[in-house]
Each structure stands twice: as structure tokens, then as C-alpha cells.
Amino acid sequence: MKEVRFMKVKISPGNSKMGSIASVSLPAIKTCRKNCACSIKCYAHKLERIRKNVREAYEHNLRLLLEDPDTYWREVEGTIMANRFFRFHVSGDIPDKEYLLRMLEVTKRNPHCQILCFTKMYELVNEVRAEYGEFPSNLHLIFSVWPGIKLVNPYNFPTAHVRFKDGTTTADEWAVDCGGNCTECAITDEGCWIIEFGGQIIFDEH
């Protein structure tokens, strides 16, 4: 008899940095761009290595996405429908074009929810932006910058930068510092939730 598996997406209700913001994540490295030196310092990948339950949750989400994408997106959207704020990918990134298109449709159908996503998939986002037109205003999509990666940003998406432990950064002097808690910024209309096109936000290295 064929085994019946009840697969459900693993949604995080929040953490010490995110506060009570719900999020869905995928495995780091596997779903990220392949030419980025950030993999060496990736805090999400480190967390996966030291916490089995986190690693298994992210792997489960990727497996569900690949094997049963309709269930993945139905359950992600169900969470978004019930929340005012949501984040894609505390770990991982936008794996392909189809994923981004479904993100956009879910966001468009749920204008009540402010949705945050950081990405290094510049070329993919630019391609879809050229074809799709303006993204929904409740999608706060921010390009994550890293030394050694050429930032291709013709649509002037806001950017996120790291302040490394030695004090160096790719950010300009006027970049806004991360407040440290996503929920606090969300309820006070600050930080990433209101950053405008061309804006910059800076995070201290984990």
C-alpha cells in the first residue's frame, strides 16, 4: 500500500529578531544564488547546522514546494490572509521565476498584509519586473547587497547592507540602521516596512 503523507508547510510564528511576524523559509545555500561569498558567513546556514529541527523544517518546505506546490502556496496564502505582516525567507531565497510570480499573485490578492522579502536574485527580479510591471505596493522587496556581487538594479529597488565587524560596509552614510525588531518597526511604520525605492537599510553582522 502506498504511504499517505500529510504534508503541511512549516510556518514560523516569529523569533527574537522578527518578533511576532510570521514567516516561511527555505534551505539556505540550496535556494540561494550560487556565486555569493555570503555563504561562508551565512547565519541561516549556521543555524541549520546546529539546530536539527530548523534544518528539517526548511528541508520539509522545499520538498513540499517541489512535490506539491499548490499545497505550499495555499497554506502560505492562508497564513497571509490571517495576518497584517508576513515575511518570505528568513532563510533561503526566491528559487525561480514561477515562485516569484506566485509570490506576486498572493501579495496582490491580500492587500491588507504587508509582505517583506530580501533577495539577492537581482536578475530574476528585474526580469519579472520588466514583464509584470509595477509590483503590488504591499510587497516590500529589498535587494540584499554583498561585496563581490554586482548590484544590477535598474528599477531602483531599496537595498539592504551589512555593517561588518571590522566596521566596513557597502552602504552610504545616510543608510537607515535596522531597529532590531521587525514587529516594533511594523507597528510604528518604520524601517524595512516603509523604505522607499532608492532607500538603504543597514544591519550589523550577525
Side-chain angles (χ1 to χ4, degrees), residues 17 33 37 50-51 81 97 123 151 153 169 184 188:
K17 180 174 174 56
R33 64 183 301 148
I50 63 178
R51 294 184 58 180
M81 291 172 66
K97 185 176 181 179
E123 295 83 1
L151 176 63
N153 192 11
T169 182
E184 291 180 6
T188 56

Side-chain angles (χ1 to χ4, degrees), residues 50-93:
I50 63 178
R51 294 184 58 180
K52 180 182 177 182
N53 62 322
V54 172
R55 179 175 67 254
E56 290 179 344
Y58 296 169
E59 291 286 353
H60 171 87
N61 284 347
L62 179 59
R63 186 165 59 250
L64 179 60
L65 173 65
L66 295 175
E67 296 178 1
D68 190 359
D70 288 339
T71 294
Y72 178 91
W73 285 106
R74 182 174 62 251
E75 295 187 350
V76 167
E77 183 164 10
T79 302
I80 289 172
M81 291 172 66
N83 285 275
R84 289 182 57 207
F85 303 97
F86 185 83
R87 179 172 166 183
F88 278 96
H89 314 144
V90 174
S91 171
D93 208 330

Side-chain angles (χ1 to χ4, degrees), residues 17-18 21-25 43 85-91 114-118 182 193:
K17 180 174 174 56
M18 291 283 292
I21 305 294
S23 64
V24 65
S25 288
Y43 72 93
F85 303 97
F86 185 83
R87 179 172 166 183
F88 278 96
H89 314 144
V90 174
S91 171
Q114 302 299 312
I115 297 174
L116 181 63
C117 180
F118 295 88
C182 288
W193 302 101

